[in-house]
Amino acid sequence: MTRLYNDPAEFAGEVLDGFVAAHQRWVRRVPGGVVRNTAKTPGQVAVLVGGGSGHYPAFTGLVGQGLAHGAVSGNIFASPSAQQACSVARAAESGGGVLLLFGNYAGDVLHFGHAAEILTQQGIPTKAFAVTDDVSSAPADQTAKRRGVAGDLTVFKAAAAAAEAGLDLDEVYRVAERANDRTRSLGVAFSGCTLPGADAPLFTVPEGKMAVGMGIHGEPGIGEADVPSADGLAELFVRTLLADLPSDITDVRGQRAGVILNGLGTVKHEELFVVYRRVAQLLAEAGVEVVDPEVGEFVTSFDLAGASLTLFWLDDELERYWTAPADAPAFRKGSLTPAPPAPEDLAVESAEQTVPEASEESREAARVVFTALEAVRKVIDGNADELGRIDAVAGDGDHGIGMQRGAVAAVDAAREALRLGAGAGTLLALAGDAWADKAGGTSGALWGLLLRSIANTLGDKEKPTAAAVSEGVAAGLENVLRVGGARVGDKTLVDVLAPFAETLATAVGESRGLTEAWGRAAEQADAAAKATADLVPKIGRARPLAEKSVGTPDAGAVSLALITDVVHGVLAERKGV
Amino acid sequence: MTRLYNDPAEFAGEVLDGFVAAHQRWVRRVPGGVVRNTAKTPGQVAVLVGGGSGHYPAFTGLVGQGLAHGAVSGNIFASPSAQQACSVARAAESGGGVLLLFGNYAGDVLHFGHAAEILTQQGIPTKAFAVTDDVSSAPADQTAKRRGVAGDLTVFKAAAAAAEAGLDLDEVYRVAERANDRTRSLGVAFSGCTLPGADAPLFTVPEGKMAVGMGIHGEPGIGEADVPSADGLAELFVRTLLADLPSDITDVRGQRAGVILNGLGTVKHEELFVVYRRVAQLLAEAGVEVVDPEVGEFVTSFDLAGASLTLFWLDDELERYWTAPADAPAFRKGSLTPAPPAPEDLAVESAEQTVPEASEESREAARVVFTALEAVRKVIDGNADELGRIDAVAGDGDHGIGMQRGAVAAVDAAREALRLGAGAGTLLALAGDAWADKAGGTSGALWGLLLRSIANTLGDKEKPTAAAVSEGVAAGLENVLRVGGARVGDKTLVDVLAPFAETLATAVGESRGLTEAWGRAAEQADAAAKATADLVPKIGRARPLAEKSVGTPDAGAVSLALITDVVHGVLAERKGV
């Protein structure tokens, strides 16, 4: 139970405030996250880590000498935006380029990947790398599909130590890749976590049972078992991980491994030590030499009762990086010479907003778009809890919260754009950017893309035509397919967006007005969203238990249908459009 | 919920095994606890900390350079024995004497105080000091009666840094005293903790409420309140602590303070940071300069949902010690030069047991004493859960477990004594020592004393007479009164022991045989135990809510009555004695 909060909507930001207040020796706050508060080493690769909030000490607690140069901190369980990552990267970089490290979740992959493109274009060479250590989230022949869990730490640590040792960006990337190849984790959960302000856990595990391989947001694992003894859990962990070795290890005898026994929230120190006692015995019996074991909390999920074991198979190079000294708020090792504090005036971004000139017709249309965005915000507000519940069936339950934040931010940005006299295209583009920035997560990225796509065809000069809107939606579908990687039938919002775009285009081609055409398409959208209940998710979900979600529609599909419907209402009232 | 354990009776030992396996760079195991695994500094005062298990990182996680030289580790929520403290002290001391530091709990005060006497007699100058930082456990004019909670850490840290700086034992003691004088804490709890193997929490707090000032074992606090917002809790903490200042501070403006925001178990990092955000604001508004704040887990209680705030009011000397570098498994600060590892062959105690010569009559009586001890073990075994439940009403719920461990250890020691040919006195004395050592806690100390007292009058030469037994019981009562500090009417085992001893003496004086006299006394004991239900505890309990226990007898009184009764059964079967 998470009990201590003020306004739940402000939680992630207030966590960051308090964290920074308590750790000023290590970190300072910048827009989007934190960076080291110590002087930079010119030419050193900046290693940034990041992801959603709610996993402390991941990610902000891992910033400090010998570890990350900065952390990009999203909302609760929602990936930060590309804009946040760019902001933190600009504050942290010191001429050697940037490596962005994060767990393999769709939203993080989208946003960090996008940030790497932007930064590189702007002259800061940047690479992005997703950690994939969770053996339960995909079979051994599809390791690239695995999620990142507590093995984040071994990859972060190795890459950061390599950067500290002076390696260049390509080499630091190689070390991250090598560390990830040699890291394996398995987790279990006994009960779900309750997010601030929620009155029920995000998910539950039957009393006396444990979910084997459950993800850190409650993503389905590979099965359920009775809660074992401490020794029994150690045996499950070690047996499973010794059966899923890196491809270049055939015999574990004589191998050396870093070990992380990680508590996810309410499994306490004492329990972890009893489990570790047996883990150490089992590894010794298998002939594995343990190097610098870590027993504690490294990647958590609020009050989730769970634990995970990570094995980091070392070679000489990786061992050097694993055992190198580090001094971050939540991870310290060895002894290092403290770097001098950073100068006070570390540049922080700020920008005065202006908008391009717009025609009167386009500014008139911008007011309609604003009204539509307000209606979207209301319908999302009213359905946020339900969307969260639907999403929690096979996902991480953040869809409602993410959409809510996105819609609120979009309306705020649109209001400001209206005040500045923006045309329809600019207003919608700024709304889309704000949505992506504040919502984070996969849906944030895709909605940002969708609104930007429509904005591009609207422009700020002409009165928006039905054809322009339809073209914009079609372009949005194309971009979402390209970037999101989902196809029709994968149980995502694509299952709604594709028929919506097609019906809209057909109706507009038959010379129907925008309101009528949109109405037809919205009906299609509603039916398509309901039909997703029959599908099995294909991406972003653990396969073995994905069937669990059959019978429940996809949350992203449902919210898209809700939005097309409410926008139709706005158009119908304004008939003239 | 504590889920991960093997045999609950082995839990504390297995925690220690796992902890040591994971932290070999810092600690090594010795009988009774752990000591630093780094080379000693000859002549340095050894600062030992200790108490019951279940509070990690207190106490073992605080052993390392710049912090404790060793930790004495008792059973779950039960103080370690004097014997354990002596063993750890002998392994840790390096010629400068020993300072024993612990929270102010009756059992710890007894055992550590006794250990200090023994060690000093043996040529190792030793002092014992109890931390009393919890403002909720006694009024400001009775600070000596307060319990020790997370403020343990500030006192440990200051004293250890003073030892590291080369101060002598008297001076290190003075620093501990000064640090304690200037440390204040307040805690709250939202729910109780569940001990390994228990099927219900040790205590509960009504849903939506918090217990203000509740102790780390669930000792009653000063009241109940609705669960506040994070800011509301920060305000309660700061307001209360700023109203309970050290006597030499009149105006907080311009003062400097170390700050510890401590999570007790399942209040998580993110929640603590949100609370700390407001704590920092409030202290800044009050003009207090915060020095090296710590936000995390320092003194815990398994899965207890609770938090506490500690203020450590610094002067120049205390600030130097608070900010000095340290490197323990769970507490690191600054940067220090690692000491070389300790030599492999650190002396560890072992002793070949022998017993004094005994007469045939005394050895015959020893067999009866053994049978009685076995019967005691059985009756305690059968009532352990119930005794724990009774104890939890106004105490820390460890009475059943402690008595169980004590009785088992006493029987084991008695069996060995029998094998070696011990007389009744020696057998009972060894059983008493084993009881005190393995049970820990207040009751362990008192039972050890009681059995030793009876043993002294039995001796190994004569056939034990009724008069000798009665004298032994009377001497036991006297010792328990002297050492334990309780009087008749305080709701402790004294309320049973006193009438039992009196009735026994009277009946023996009337020339009744031992069996008959004991039977009469046991009847008295049973009635007296029941009558403790009407009393209000006077010692070892927080006053304001102690009334809660009215209606429930005292657990120590009940177990004494059970034992006198079952011993009567053994005597009656053996009529001849």
Side-chain angles (χ1 to χ4, degrees):
Chain A
M1 181 87 199
T2 297
R3 293 181 182 82
L4 293 172
Y5 51 85
N6 300 307
D7 177 354
E10 301 302 325
F11 189 80
E14 294 187 351
V15 169
L16 210 50
D17 286 342
F19 165 75
V20 172
H23 298 99
Q24 294 176 35
R25 190 166 77 69
W26 291 268
V27 295
R28 69 168 65 188
R29 194 158 174 182
V30 294
V34 297
V35 298
R36 287 191 200 171
N37 208 4
T38 46
K40 295 177 178 183
T41 305
Q44 190 171 90
V45 175
V47 174
L48 301 195
V49 302
S53 290
H55 304 300
Y56 191 86
F59 297 89
T60 55
L62 305 176
V63 175
Q65 279 184 271
L67 240 166
H69 293 77
V72 191
S73 193
N75 257 303
I76 297 169
F77 285 8
S79 81
S81 67
Q83 194 169 323
Q84 288 184 273
C86 290
S87 156
V88 177
R90 283 187 211 106
E93 69 92 24
S94 55
V98 173
L99 178 60
L100 302 170
L101 295 174
F102 45 89
N104 187 31
Y105 297 91
D108 294 296
V109 171
L110 280 174
H111 288 288
F112 284 108
H114 189 203
E117 282 175 23
I118 296 172
L119 289 164
T120 303
Q121 278 166 15
Q122 294 175 343
I124 302 172
T126 302
K127 287 173 174 263
F129 184 81
V131 178
T132 59
D133 58 310
D134 180 2
V135 303
S136 69
S137 49
D141 57 353
Q142 299 173 41
T143 52
K145 291 187 178 171
R146 289 176 169 179
R147 296 184 295 250
V149 288
D152 279 357
L153 177 59
T154 65
V155 180
F156 296 173
K157 176 74 174 67
E164 206 88 39
L167 272 61
D168 70 16
L169 180 57
D170 285 342
E171 278 292 284
V172 173
Y173 185 90
R174 177 189 60 75
V175 170
E177 210 168 27
R178 173 86 177 146
N180 185 57
D181 278 349
R182 293 187 139 238
T183 300
R184 297 290 188 280
S185 301
L186 175 68
V188 298
F190 308 112
S191 78
C193 53
T194 305
L195 300 185
D199 47 14
L202 198 53
F203 57 92
T204 58
V205 180
E207 187 58 40
K209 297 283 179 184
M210 67 176 179
V212 179
M214 175 171 271
I216 56 173
H217 314 97
E219 297 92 338
I222 50 179
E224 236 170 53
D226 291 339
V227 172
S229 66
D231 285 0
L233 181 60
E235 283 151 21
L236 170 71
F237 277 157
V238 173
R239 189 176 60 238
T240 307
L241 294 185
L242 292 189
D244 193 313
L245 296 170
S247 55
D248 56 349
I249 295 182
T250 47
D251 183 6
V252 297
R253 198 155 292 276
Q255 294 288 337
R256 286 156 297 137
V259 174
I260 301 171
L261 183 61
N262 177 56
L264 281 157
T266 59
V267 168
K268 299 306 305 173
H269 311 282
E270 284 82 359
E271 296 173 275
L272 291 175
F273 289 134
V274 175
V275 174
Y276 183 71
R277 170 182 172 274
R278 185 71 186 134
V279 167
Q281 289 168 353
L282 291 166
L283 290 175
E285 283 166 19
V288 177
E289 187 191 332
V290 172
V291 178
D292 280 9
E294 299 283 347
V295 180
E297 294 183 341
F298 302 97
V299 176
T300 65
S301 292
F302 287 104
D303 57 331
L304 190 152
S308 65
L309 182 70
T310 299
L311 296 185
F312 180 28
W313 298 99
L314 302 170
D315 56 23
D316 289 345
E317 184 187 32
L318 293 177
E319 180 165 349
R320 204 162 58 240
Y321 296 140
W322 175 240
T323 58
D327 180 17
F331 189 91
R332 298 191 215 174
K333 191 186 288 239
S335 185
L336 46 69
T337 312
E344 285 302 318
D345 59 343
L346 194 74
V348 162
E349 307 197 333
S350 87
E352 190 60 34
Q353 184 81 57
T354 56
V355 295
E357 227 174 294
S359 68
E360 186 47 48
E361 289 97 338
S362 186
R363 288 166 66 177
E364 172 64 33
R367 281 190 281 277
V368 180
V369 175
F370 177 71
T371 308
L373 285 169
E374 277 201 314
V376 167
R377 187 192 58 72
K378 263 189 217 157
V379 76
I380 292 298
D381 243 14
N383 288 276
D385 288 355
E386 177 62 13
L387 290 169
R389 266 192 296 276
I390 296 177
D391 187 40
V393 172
D396 53 12
D398 69 350
H399 186 75
I401 293 176
M403 290 293 287
Q404 211 168 10
R405 293 201 150 252
V408 167
V411 167
D412 289 348
R415 185 179 299 109
E416 175 65 5
L418 216 50
R419 194 182 66 78
L420 296 168
T426 292
L427 181 139
L428 195 55
L430 292 174
D433 288 355
W435 188 310
D437 183 31
K438 288 297 185 321
T442 313
S443 68
L446 298 182
W447 272 95
L449 207 56
L450 191 51
L451 298 190
R452 260 240 174 244
S453 305
I454 303 172
N456 284 343
T457 60
L458 295 189
D460 293 333
K461 298 297 175 202
E462 317 293 326
K463 179 178 173 178
T465 61
V469 173
S470 171
E471 270 167 46
V473 171
L477 170 64
E478 198 176 305
N479 285 329
V480 165
L481 287 170
R482 179 177 55 79
V483 171
R487 294 288 166 263
V488 171
D490 288 354
K491 193 163 187 162
T492 70
L493 92 171
V494 166
D495 291 315
V496 174
L497 186 56
F500 176 80
E502 198 182 332
T503 310
L504 183 64
T506 306
V508 168
E510 291 165 0
S511 303
R512 311 280 172 183
L514 177 59
T515 305
E516 187 189 344
W518 188 286
R520 284 199 191 180
E523 273 172 39
Q524 278 292 326
D526 188 52
K530 285 183 180 129
T532 61
D534 302 329
L535 299 172
V536 180
K538 296 285 187 323
I539 66 162
R541 310 278 188 255
R543 252 133 305 273
L545 289 189
E547 293 82 31
K548 273 207 171 176
S549 73
V550 174
T552 309
D554 177 67
V558 171
S559 54
L560 176 53
L562 284 170
I563 287 171
T564 58
D565 181 56
V566 76
V567 169
H568 177 240
V570 171
L571 293 174
E573 267 183 34
R574 299 261 166 171
K575 292 188 199 83
V577 184
Chain B
M1 181 91 198
T2 297
R3 293 181 180 83
L4 293 172
Y5 50 86
N6 299 306
D7 178 354
E10 301 301 326
F11 188 80
E14 293 187 351
V15 170
L16 211 49
D17 286 343
F19 165 74
V20 172
H23 297 100
Q24 293 176 37
R25 188 165 77 71
W26 292 268
V27 295
R28 67 169 64 188
R29 194 158 175 181
V30 295
V34 298
V35 297
R36 285 191 202 172
N37 209 3
T38 46
K40 295 178 178 182
T41 305
Q44 189 171 92
V45 175
V47 174
L48 300 194
V49 301
S53 291
H55 305 299
Y56 191 86
F59 296 90
T60 55
L62 304 176
V63 174
Q65 278 184 273
L67 241 167
H69 293 77
V72 192
S73 192
N75 257 303
I76 297 171
F77 286 7
S79 81
S81 67
Q83 195 168 323
Q84 286 183 275
C86 292
S87 156
V88 176
R90 283 188 210 103
E93 68 92 25
S94 56
V98 172
L99 177 60
L100 302 170
L101 295 175
F102 45 90
N104 187 31
Y105 298 91
D108 294 296
V109 172
L110 280 173
H111 288 289
F112 284 109
H114 190 203
E117 282 175 24
I118 297 171
L119 289 163
T120 304
Q121 278 166 16
Q122 293 174 345
I124 302 173
T126 301
K127 288 174 174 264
F129 184 82
V131 178
T132 59
D133 59 311
D134 180 2
V135 303
S136 69
S137 49
D141 58 352
Q142 298 174 42
T143 52
K145 291 186 177 171
R146 290 178 168 178
R147 297 184 294 249
V149 288
D152 280 357
L153 177 60
T154 65
V155 180
F156 296 173
K157 176 73 175 66
E164 206 89 35
L167 273 59
D168 70 17
L169 180 56
D170 285 341
E171 279 291 284
V172 173
Y173 184 89
R174 178 189 61 74
V175 170
E177 211 167 26
R178 172 87 177 145
N180 185 57
D181 279 348
R182 292 188 138 238
T183 299
R184 298 288 187 280
S185 300
L186 175 68
V188 298
F190 308 110
S191 79
C193 55
T194 305
L195 301 183
D199 45 15
L202 199 52
F203 57 92
T204 57
V205 179
E207 186 60 38
K209 298 281 178 186
M210 68 175 179
V212 179
M214 175 170 271
I216 56 173
H217 315 96
E219 296 93 338
I222 49 177
E224 237 170 51
D226 291 339
V227 173
S229 67
D231 284 0
L233 181 61
E235 282 150 21
L236 171 71
F237 277 158
V238 172
R239 189 176 60 237
T240 307
L241 295 185
L242 291 190
D244 193 314
L245 296 169
S247 55
D248 56 350
I249 295 182
T250 47
D251 182 7
V252 297
R253 198 155 291 275
Q255 294 287 338
R256 285 156 297 139
V259 174
I260 302 172
L261 182 63
N262 176 57
L264 281 157
T266 59
V267 168
K268 299 306 305 173
H269 311 282
E270 283 83 359
E271 295 173 276
L272 291 175
F273 289 134
V274 175
V275 174
Y276 182 72
R277 170 182 171 275
R278 184 75 185 132
V279 167
Q281 289 169 353
L282 291 166
L283 290 174
E285 284 166 19
V288 177
E289 187 190 334
V290 172
V291 179
D292 280 9
E294 298 282 347
V295 180
E297 295 184 338
F298 302 97
V299 176
T300 64
S301 291
F302 286 103
D303 57 331
L304 190 151
S308 65
L309 182 71
T310 298
L311 296 185
F312 180 28
W313 297 100
L314 302 170
D315 56 23
D316 288 346
E317 184 186 32
L318 292 178
E319 180 166 348
R320 205 163 56 239
Y321 297 141
W322 174 241
T323 57
D327 180 17
F331 189 91
R332 296 190 217 172
K333 190 185 288 243
S335 184
L336 45 67
T337 312
E344 283 304 318
D345 59 344
L346 192 75
V348 162
E349 306 197 331
S350 88
E352 191 58 35
Q353 183 81 56
T354 57
V355 297
E357 229 172 292
S359 69
E360 186 47 47
E361 290 98 335
S362 186
R363 288 168 65 177
E364 173 63 32
R367 280 189 282 278
V368 180
V369 175
F370 177 72
T371 308
L373 286 169
E374 278 201 312
V376 166
R377 186 192 59 72
K378 262 188 219 159
V379 76
I380 291 299
D381 243 13
N383 289 275
D385 287 355
E386 176 62 13
L387 290 169
R389 267 193 296 276
I390 296 176
D391 187 39
V393 173
D396 54 11
D398 68 349
H399 186 76
I401 292 176
M403 290 293 288
Q404 210 170 13
R405 295 204 149 249
V408 167
V411 167
D412 288 349
R415 184 181 298 109
E416 177 65 7
L418 216 55
R419 195 184 64 80
L420 297 167
T426 293
L427 179 138
L428 196 55
L430 293 174
D433 289 354
W435 188 310
D437 183 30
K438 287 296 184 324
T442 314
S443 69
L446 298 181
W447 272 95
L449 207 57
L450 190 53
L451 298 190
R452 260 245 174 238
S453 305
I454 303 173
N456 284 345
T457 61
L458 296 188
D460 292 334
K461 298 299 176 203
E462 316 293 326
K463 179 179 174 178
T465 62
V469 172
S470 171
E471 272 167 45
V473 170
L477 171 63
E478 199 175 306
N479 285 329
V480 165
L481 287 172
R482 179 177 56 79
V483 171
R487 295 288 166 263
V488 170
D490 289 353
K491 192 162 186 162
T492 71
L493 92 170
V494 166
D495 291 314
V496 174
L497 186 56
F500 176 80
E502 198 182 331
T503 310
L504 182 64
T506 306
V508 168
E510 291 164 1
S511 303
R512 313 280 172 180
L514 177 59
T515 304
E516 188 188 344
W518 188 285
R520 286 199 190 183
E523 274 171 39
Q524 280 291 326
D526 188 50
K530 286 182 179 127
T532 60
D534 302 329
L535 300 172
V536 180
K538 296 286 187 323
I539 66 163
R541 307 278 187 259
R543 252 133 306 275
L545 289 189
E547 293 82 30
K548 272 206 172 176
S549 74
V550 174
T552 310
D554 177 69
V558 171
S559 55
L560 176 54
L562 284 171
I563 288 171
T564 59
D565 181 59
V566 76
V567 169
H568 178 240
V570 171
L571 293 173
E573 264 183 36
R574 296 263 167 171
K575 292 184 201 84
V577 184

